[in-house]
Structures are given as C-alpha cells and as structure tokens.
Amino acid sequence: MNPAMTTRDANLPAEYSAGLDRLSLAPLWTALHVLLPQERVTEAVPHRWRWAEMREPLLEAARLVPLDQAERRVLVLRNPGLGGAYAVTATLFAGLQIILPGEAAPSHHHTPAALRLIVEGRGAFTTVDGVKCAMEPGDLIITPPMRWHDHGHEGSEPVIWLDGLDIPLVRSFEAAWASKMRPAVVPATAIDSSQDEFTAAGVVPRASRYEDTGYPQVRWPWTTVRRALEAMAAAAQADQPVVLRYVNPGTGTFPLRTIGSEAQWLRPGEATRAERRTASGVFHVIEGQGESRIGDEVFTWERGDCVVAPPWHWIQHKNLSRSAPACLFHFNDEPALRALGLWQEETRS
Ligand code: 1HN
C-alpha cells in the first residue's frame, strides 16, 4: 500500500503553504518518495477466482438480467487491492460474459482493445468487422481498438467466456470511448470465415481477400494451439518451459499493441522456475489441475479458474497431476510496457 501523500511541509510557515494551495502549487519534496518509491510497490494483490464459485452467479445473471438491458452481460473480476475499481490489475480489466441461445449482443466499437477466451459451451459466435468467429472452448478471439464487434448464439446451451481489456490503461490516458450500439450485423458468411487464410504456421497469403486493418488474424482455435503445444512438449527438454505466444502472422509480433497472450503446457508433475516481470496479467486454466505461487501466496487451481499476478511478483506454476498435462492461458500488458521502455524480466536461478 502507498503511504498517504502529503502536500504540506509541516516545517514551512502555514501562511506559505496556504499561499501555495491558493495558486494550485505543491512542494514536491514531501511527496517524492511516494511518487517514486525505492522498491516496486503494487496496490493490486495476487488473487484467485474459482470457476466453481463463478458459474452459478453467471447463470443467475442470465436469468435475472435481460441482454437488451445489459448489452454485455459481464461479471467483473475486481482485484481486492484496487479499492473497488473495475480492474483486475492497474492496467487490465477481466470479466466473465454469458450469452444464451438465441440472444444477440449488439454491435459497437471502442478505443480499448479486447480479447475473449472461451470457457464453456458451444454454438455462440463473435462477429469482428463482418467476419464470423466461432466460439469453442479454449479459442482466443481479439476485437482490436475501433473494430466493430457483436456476439450471437445459434446453439442450445449457455456460452461463457473470459473478457480481457486494457480499459484501466486506456482510461489513465483519458482515451476511453465507445460508439453507440447498433443492431448486430449479419456476418458476411453463414459459417466461420476466420480460418480461411492463416491455417498453417509459416505460410501467409500473398494477397489477402480482407481489408488491411493491421489485424489479419482475429481468432486462434484451441484445437490448433493445443496440437502445437503438444508437439512442442514432446520435443522439448524436461527443464525447458513449453509456452507459445499468440502472434500477428504477418509481423510475428503481438496481435494487439497493448495486450499480449500466451498458452503454456505443463507436463505431468512439472514445476516451472520462478519468473518475475514488470507486466501484470491474468492466468486462466484451460485444462488440468495444479497450483501457482504468486509472490507469497499459493493458489490451487482447476479448469475455469482465474489467477491474477500483479507486476514484479515471482510466479511459479506446478502441474499437480502425475499423468495428465495442464494448460494455462495468460494475458498481460507486456506489449504496452515494452512500447514504453518499461519491460524487465528475471528468472530465479
Ligand atoms: C465490451 O465491449 C465487451 O464487446 C465485453 O463483449 C466486456 C467490458 C468493458 C467494456 C466493454 C464486448 C467489456 C466491454
């Protein structure tokens, strides 16, 4: 916790201090150590949200709140250290969204970047600039800044996904803005058209049939990513972590400018070496059972759980199964930190 900021120097004449106040001026010397502490401090704390405790309240929200009224039916993961802010870390937002068969969440666009990681259910889709993206458990879909998007559902069971956005970061620039909602658009094709150009690693279309928005790929199916992780795990040395980064296939760099995403495969019994980074982020369990140490806290986890890691906390994961792999999805603010010259990482030897 930050100590309170003092703008008054008790050693100064009261009249002088009052004069500064009137001029909207303040001495820096009373606040410098708070603005620039000598150790990294975070108000965000490590925390875990259990899927087993979130699922019912989400289904209940779907019974209680009509989508016409909510527009987006989301329960927000609020970091207990951030004083009730709609934020999971100082820069990131996380929430779980539920949509029922036959519902349509209207179309809009906004300055914050967003991603979705599908947690449960089949038959829903997100339309990004007219491109229909099927939502299957474990899939990643991005909706980049200012790209129109809506959600629909043609299936027969509730669909729930994790939303990750950079809203707190964008709000700190006072740059958060969204268009008015419009009715959901009819996608350009009746079936998923997100996978017709980037279907294999190492090859890209010489000419795309899509408009160049800077975001050539918006959906990464879990079946593809899981297969890649499994192949990598089979070939990797036992002491090498098995982690894949989601990238823009045209540039090989982060698909969004502010939010990075990774998928990690933990072999049976594997424990990772502790790492710390200046990035903050959220881990989400796609499959398996294990535990993560974040700073001084240890959280056990299973499928659907979310764990938040504040910046510069030592992070270590363990797969507690002796026979099955575990898969973690992770999103973070690494691209934003890199762009600002603030990226740093360490691995404990
Ligand atoms: C938003 O637009 C979506 O489009 C989800 O599904 C979550 C959280 C805050 C602000 C906008 C969506 C959001 C959001």
Side-chain angles (χ1 to χ4, degrees):
M1 238 351 226
N2 279 341
M5 192 107 74
T6 18
T7 54
R8 288 250 168 151
D9 181 345
N11 299 320
L12 296 177
E15 231 168 86
Y16 175 76
S17 295
L20 291 184
D21 277 350
R22 277 195 299 277
L23 294 167
S24 297
L25 292 170
L28 175 61
W29 56 91
T30 56
L32 188 56
H33 59 291
V34 179
L35 296 174
L36 289 176
Q38 263 149 19
E39 288 188 9
R40 291 176 187 270
V41 282
T42 69
E43 299 203 349
V45 295
H47 192 74
R48 172 202 50 213
W49 289 261
R50 291 183 192 276
W51 176 240
E53 293 174 341
M54 297 190 288
R55 190 170 179 275
E56 248 331 293
L58 280 158
L59 293 168
E60 185 75 7
R63 288 189 287 269
L64 294 171
V65 187
L67 194 54
D68 313 350
Q69 188 189 316
E71 295 180 331
R72 296 293 188 266
R73 203 189 281 113
V74 178
L75 292 181
V76 182
L77 277 56
R78 299 171 104 174
N79 189 298
L82 293 177
Y86 272 42
V88 72
T89 72
T91 52
L92 297 171
F93 168 104
L96 285 165
Q97 182 163 174
I98 181 165
I99 180 166
L100 298 178
E103 286 186 330
S107 190
H108 72 161
H109 62 189
H110 39 70
T111 53
L115 60 80
R116 341 257 160 216
L117 197 283
I118 318 313
V119 182
E120 183 178 285
R122 285 168 203 277
F125 62 92
T126 289
T127 307
V128 186
D129 278 331
V131 174
K132 185 170 186 175
C133 297
M135 299 175 108
E136 306 267 324
D139 290 357
L140 174 68
I141 295 169
I142 59 168
T143 57
M146 301 309 283
R147 311 314 302 176
W148 286 93
H149 56 279
D150 59 69
H151 314 295
H153 196 339
E154 301 164 317
S156 57
E157 55 187 359
V159 170
I160 299 173
W161 64 82
L162 172 67
D163 284 312
L165 291 94
D166 57 6
I167 293 189
L169 176 68
V170 175
R171 289 196 68 208
S172 75
F173 294 116
E174 297 194 326
W177 173 89
S179 69
K180 288 213 171 86
M181 293 284 185
R182 289 184 185 166
V185 294
V186 178
T189 57
I191 53 157
D192 181 310
S193 62
S194 70
Q195 298 303 300
D196 50 3
E197 292 195 341
F198 300 103
T199 50
V203 281
V204 298
R206 187 166 70 176
S208 171
R209 71 186 183 90
Y210 295 101
E211 174 200 353
D212 181 11
T213 60
Y215 302 98
Q217 183 167 353
V218 293
R219 173 172 178 248
W220 288 258
W222 175 237
T223 50
T224 312
V225 177
R226 193 182 189 287
R227 209 179 306 128
L229 283 168
E230 194 171 16
M232 189 176 165
Q237 289 177 355
D239 60 348
Q240 292 301 309
V242 179
V243 189
L244 288 175
R245 252 185 186 186
Y246 293 82
V247 295
N248 172 332
T251 61
T253 61
F254 302 104
L256 295 167
R257 292 181 185 200
T258 48
I259 313 179
S261 302
E262 295 178 348
Q264 179 153 18
W265 177 284
L266 297 165
R267 289 152 284 197
E270 177 176 354
T272 62
R273 280 164 75 176
E275 293 177 355
R276 62 177 178 182
R277 303 163 169 189
T278 50
S280 63
V282 174
F283 295 92
H284 170 78
V285 185
I286 296 183
E287 67 179 71
Q289 291 184 324
E291 66 179 32
S292 297
R293 177 181 286 277
I294 314 284
D296 296 330
E297 308 244 18
V298 177
F299 303 106
T300 58
W301 43 252
E302 56 187 19
R303 194 185 69 78
D305 292 353
C306 291
V307 176
V308 63
W312 211 240
H313 280 52
W314 289 105
I315 299 171
Q316 201 172 9
H317 304 299
K318 206 181 278 185
N319 179 353
L320 293 178
S321 168
R322 296 257 141 229
S323 54
C327 297
L328 300 178
F329 171 76
H330 175 54
F331 72 91
N332 57 46
D333 56 4
E334 178 179 338
L337 285 159
R338 284 188 184 275
L340 297 173
L342 301 172
W343 172 254
Q344 218 182 313
E345 67 184 322
E346 284 180 2
T347 304
R348 208 181 271 157
S349 45

